[in-house]
Amino acid sequence: MFLSRQLARRVYSRSHRRWAHSPVAALSGLNTVTEEDLAHFSKILPSSAILSTLTPSATPPAELEPFNNDWMNKYHGRSTTVLKPRTTQEVSEIVKWCNQRRIGIVPQGGNTGLVGGSVPVRDELILSLANMSKIRSFDDVSGILVADAGCILQSLSDFLVSHHHIVPLDLGAKGSCQIGGNVSTNAGGLRLLRYGSLHGTVLGLEVVLPDGTILDQLTSLRKDNTGYDLKQLFIGAEGTLGVVTGVSILAAPAPQASNNVMLALPKFENVLPLFKETKRQLSEILSAFEFMDRTVYDLAVKHGQGRALDPADVEGADCFVLVETSGGKREHDEEKLNSLLESLMEADEPLINTGVLATSPAQFSALWAIREGLTEAVSKEGKAYKYDISVPLHKFKEVVDRTKEQLRQKGLLHDDAVKHVVGYGHVGDGNLHLNVVAAAYTPEIEAALEPFVYELVASYKGSISAEHGIGVMKTHALQYSKSPTSIEWMKKIKALFDPNGIMNPGKVLP
Ligand SMILES: Cc1cc2nc3c(=O)[nH]c(=O)nc-3n(C[C@H](O)[C@H](O)[C@H](O)COP(=O)(O)OP(=O)(O)OC[C@H]3O[C@@H](n4cnc5c(N)ncnc54)[C@H](O)[C@@H]3O)c2cc1C
C-alpha cells in the first residue's frame, strides 16, 4: 500500500513539461469514480455541490482545473470529480461510500498548500470543504471559537474584530486558506512566536474518520486530561487520517496597540544579536521577528508587494528584519520600541543601518505587506523550489550560501536555470524558507537540490519541514527528519485509522 522509495521516483512528462510523483504505485488497489458512484453522491448532495466531468450534464474540465492544480502550479491531479458537502453528516456519508468502494479521497481546503498535499496524485475524488463555512459559536469570556473547517482564515479574523479578539494564527495565504487546512497542515505563520503552535491553541476537533464515523472531540474546555489526546493526531496529518469538519480554537484578546518597524541590517551576522537584544528589551510585547534577505526584499519590491522603503533606508542593507509589538498600552509599547531603536542606533557598533517605524495603520499594513508578499513575489519571478526548514538560527545564511555554491558548481546558477537563491522566514521560530527561483522546473535542478538540501538540514539536526508539511513533495525525504522507528509507528497509526488507504493516498508516508 505504501509507496516504496524506488517507486516514489518522479516522472517527467516532456509533453506537459511537468513534474509529478509516480501515482500508480501510490494508488494501487484504489478505484476511480464511476457514474454509479455519482448516482449515489447525487442522493447525498444537490447537483450544485457536485462537479464532475462524468455526469451526463458534464462540468467543463476547465472548472475542475483550480481543484486539480496546486498554488505553485507545480503539482497536477486528474480528478474527474469534486464534491462540496455542506454538513458533517454529508461528509460522513460520502467518506463511508468511498471507503466501501475503495475510492481515494483528497480533502481540500483553500488549496494554498506548498507541498502538493492538496491535489490528487492521480484521479482521486476531491472533497472540498468550501461549502462548510459557518461559525458555530464564539464565547467572548473564554475566547473559544468553534467553526466549520471550511471557514476562511481571513473571515474568522474579520468576525473576531467586533469581539475584540484575534485568531492566534496569521499567514500570507489568509484570504484563501481555511481553518481546517491550517489545522491539517499544523500551519505556523506569523504569530507563532507569540501564541504558540496549533497543538496548543486548538482545543477540539470534529473529524470524519475514513470509515465514515464522526469523531466528535469538539470540546471547548481549556483543560481536559482524560486519556489520549486524539485530536493531536489530526493536527498536521495533512488529510491522511480523516476529514476535519469542525475546529474549536482559543482566540486571543486583540492587542490594544500594535506597532511595527522594518530594520535594515548591514550584515546577516547581526541578526542573532539583534534578536537577543530585541527580546531582552521588548520582552512581553514582542509578537513577530521576521527575517528576509536583500534579494527577496528586492523581488517583493519588483513585483509590487507592499510599498518600497526609501532608497536611503535600504542603501547598504544586506538583509531586513520586521519586528512587531502587540501590547496593552500604546504609550508604554511605543516608549519601549523607541528606546530599543535609540539604543540600536547609538551603539558603538550599530547592529542596524536604519529602522523604518510605521506611524499610521496604513504604514503598519504596508510594512507587513512586504513580508506577507514574499511568497507571491517569488512565484511571480519564476518557478520556486521551496524548502521550508528548521535549522539553528546561526546556520540560516550558511544554508543559503551552500545551496548557491552547490548550484554554481553544477553550472546551474544563471538566468536560464536558477535565477535566485533566497532566504526568509520566521527567525523567532528557527524557521527558514529557502527558495530556489528557477526559470522552469527541470530534472537537473531537482537533482542538484535533492538530496543535497535534505542532507544539509540533517547535518544540522534540523527539520526538512518546519511548517508546510510533507505532502507529496517530501515523502521520500521523511527519513531525514524521522527515525525508522518513528516512521514505522506512523505507518501503524495510518493503517489503524485507514486500513484501506483511501485518505489522501501518496501523501506524507514513504
Ligand atoms: C502566500 C502564502 C503564504 C503562506 N504562508 C504560510 C505560513 O506563513 N505558514 C505556514 O505554515 N504555511 C504557509 N503557507 C502554506 C499554506 O497556506 C498553509 O499550509 C495552509 O495552512 C493550508 O491551508 P489550506 O486551507 O489552503 O489547505 P490546502 O492547501 O487545501 O490543504 C493542505 C493539506 O491539508 C489537507 N486538508 C485541507 N483541509 C482539510 C480538512 N478539512 N481535513 C483534512 N485535511 C485537510 C489537504 O489534503 C492537504 O494535505 C502559505 C501559502 C501561501 C500561498
Side-chain angles (χ1 to χ4, degrees):
M1 183 55 61
F2 298 106
L3 220 65
S4 75
R5 271 200 89 196
Q6 252 180 336
L7 287 171
R9 74 193 183 281
R10 292 173 172 201
V11 290
Y12 181 64
S13 148
R14 288 210 172 273
S15 54
H16 293 93
R17 296 265 154 207
R18 286 166 178 174
W19 277 99
H21 275 268
S22 173
V24 181
L27 304 186
S28 58
L30 293 178
N31 294 315
T32 55
V33 179
T34 62
E35 285 186 35
E36 290 69 46
D37 296 315
L38 285 176
H40 182 79
F41 297 139
S42 66
K43 290 184 206 146
I44 305 170
L45 299 175
S47 57
S48 59
I50 302 175
L51 304 180
S52 180
T53 50
L54 301 175
T55 45
S57 55
T59 309
E63 277 188 40
L64 264 70
E65 273 185 24
F67 299 92
N68 267 319
N69 298 313
D70 78 322
W71 190 86
M72 298 177 294
N73 207 19
K74 184 177 182 191
Y75 299 97
H76 310 278
R78 284 182 284 120
S79 183
T80 58
T81 304
V82 178
L83 301 183
K84 294 172 140 186
R86 298 151 304 175
T87 64
T88 304
Q89 191 54 41
E90 288 176 357
V91 174
S92 163
E93 287 172 36
I94 294 164
V95 172
K96 189 173 174 190
W97 176 263
C98 289
N99 191 43
Q100 282 162 2
R101 284 265 303 113
R102 309 282 198 273
I103 293 170
I105 299 176
V106 179
Q108 191 175 86
N111 198 10
T112 66
L114 299 175
V115 288
S118 49
V119 293
V121 291
R122 196 174 64 179
D123 62 354
E124 305 88 284
L125 180 145
I126 297 174
L127 189 78
S128 165
L129 277 293
N131 280 347
M132 290 189 65
S133 55
K134 289 195 192 67
I135 291 172
R136 300 190 191 179
S137 65
F138 177 66
D139 178 345
D140 59 8
V141 177
S142 64
I144 295 168
L145 172 72
V146 182
D148 280 356
C151 286
I152 289 178
L153 184 58
Q154 180 70 62
S155 69
L156 293 180
S157 291
D158 295 345
F159 166 81
L160 286 174
V161 169
S162 61
H163 297 278
H164 310 292
H165 278 72
I166 58 169
V167 188
L169 170 78
D170 189 19
L171 53 150
K174 61 187 157 215
S176 307
C177 65
Q178 300 174 1
I179 192 69
N182 301 145
V183 168
S184 301
T185 54
N186 186 23
L190 307 162
R191 289 184 182 153
L192 190 134
L193 178 69
R194 178 63 166 273
Y195 300 106
S197 95
L198 291 172
H199 281 292
T201 49
V202 169
L203 302 178
L205 291 178
E206 179 188 79
V207 182
V208 173
L209 300 177
D211 67 355
T213 305
I214 299 170
L215 178 69
D216 184 353
Q217 294 220 322
L218 214 44
T219 171
S220 40
L221 302 172
R222 287 293 298 275
K223 300 179 86 173
D224 178 19
N225 252 353
T226 50
Y228 306 140
D229 190 359
L230 293 181
K231 71 167 184 290
Q232 298 295 353
L233 278 175
F234 301 96
I235 301 175
E238 300 181 54
T240 58
L241 297 180
V243 184
V244 175
T245 48
V247 177
S248 165
I249 189 164
L250 187 63
Q256 300 297 307
S258 292
N259 296 295
N260 64 8
V261 58
M262 186 73 87
L263 304 173
L265 284 69
K267 53 182 193 247
F268 172 82
E269 288 68 24
N270 289 5
V271 174
L272 286 195
L274 178 67
F275 184 40
K276 262 172 88 179
E277 191 54 21
T278 306
K279 274 204 293 189
R280 194 183 68 77
Q281 291 203 35
L282 297 180
S283 58
E284 83 289 352
I285 63 167
L286 176 63
S287 52
F289 190 95
E290 295 287 319
F291 163 79
M292 63 194 92
D293 68 20
R294 178 62 192 254
T295 315
V296 79
Y297 167 83
D298 288 341
L299 288 182
V301 171
K302 177 177 170 187
H303 293 289
Q305 306 297 320
R307 199 178 322 134
L309 305 178
D310 280 346
D313 290 322
V314 298
E315 204 186 312
D318 177 56
C319 57
F320 300 86
V321 164
L322 180 64
V323 172
E324 185 197 64
T325 65
S326 305
K329 198 153 190 236
R330 182 164 296 283
E331 301 74 34
H332 165 266
D333 296 359
E334 282 176 1
E335 197 183 314
K336 272 187 139 178
L337 192 53
N338 284 327
S339 103
L340 169 72
L341 290 176
E342 274 166 29
S343 71
L344 290 174
M345 297 295 287
E346 286 165 11
D348 291 340
E349 283 183 42
L351 293 173
I352 60 169
N353 290 346
T354 55
V356 178
L357 183 65
T359 53
S360 67
Q363 284 178 2
F364 178 89
S365 304
L367 290 185
W368 263 121
I370 298 174
R371 168 61 189 91
E372 291 184 330
L374 297 180
T375 312
E376 203 161 327
V378 163
S379 76
K380 284 182 176 161
E381 180 70 7
K383 297 292 178 194
Y385 290 88
K386 291 182 165 292
Y387 298 97
D388 153 49
I389 57 182
S390 277
V391 286
L393 296 184
H394 62 281
K395 297 292 183 192
F396 272 32
K397 187 165 190 302
E398 202 172 301
V399 169
V400 176
D401 289 348
R402 287 183 65 177
T403 307
K404 258 190 211 160
E405 189 47 38
Q406 161 80 353
L407 292 162
R408 188 174 293 120
Q409 277 179 18
K410 300 276 178 196
L412 292 167
L413 200 58
H414 55 83
D415 264 6
D416 293 336
V418 171
K419 303 202 243 178
H420 313 281
V421 179
V422 302
Y424 60 96
H426 317 294
V427 167
D429 317 325
N431 178 187
L432 174 70
H433 296 311
L434 169 72
N435 282 212
V436 175
V437 192
Y441 294 123
T442 70
E444 292 76 24
I445 298 173
E446 179 136 344
L449 290 171
E450 294 180 23
F452 172 82
V453 173
Y454 299 130
E455 285 172 356
L456 190 61
V457 171
S459 74
Y460 300 136
K461 298 198 183 338
S463 168
I464 60 151
S465 178
E467 60 176 10
H468 292 162
I470 297 296
V472 75
M473 177 187 172
K474 300 179 189 168
T475 49
H476 63 294
L478 193 60
Q479 61 195 353
Y480 290 100
S481 291
K482 286 270 187 286
S483 69
T485 310
S486 304
I487 294 175
E488 213 39 54
W489 277 94
M490 284 170 70
K491 287 181 177 176
K492 284 181 188 170
I493 290 169
K494 167 76 176 171
L496 178 68
F497 278 89
D498 184 19
N500 295 328
I502 61 158
M503 291 305 310
N504 219 356
K507 313 293 167 54
V508 180
L509 280 163

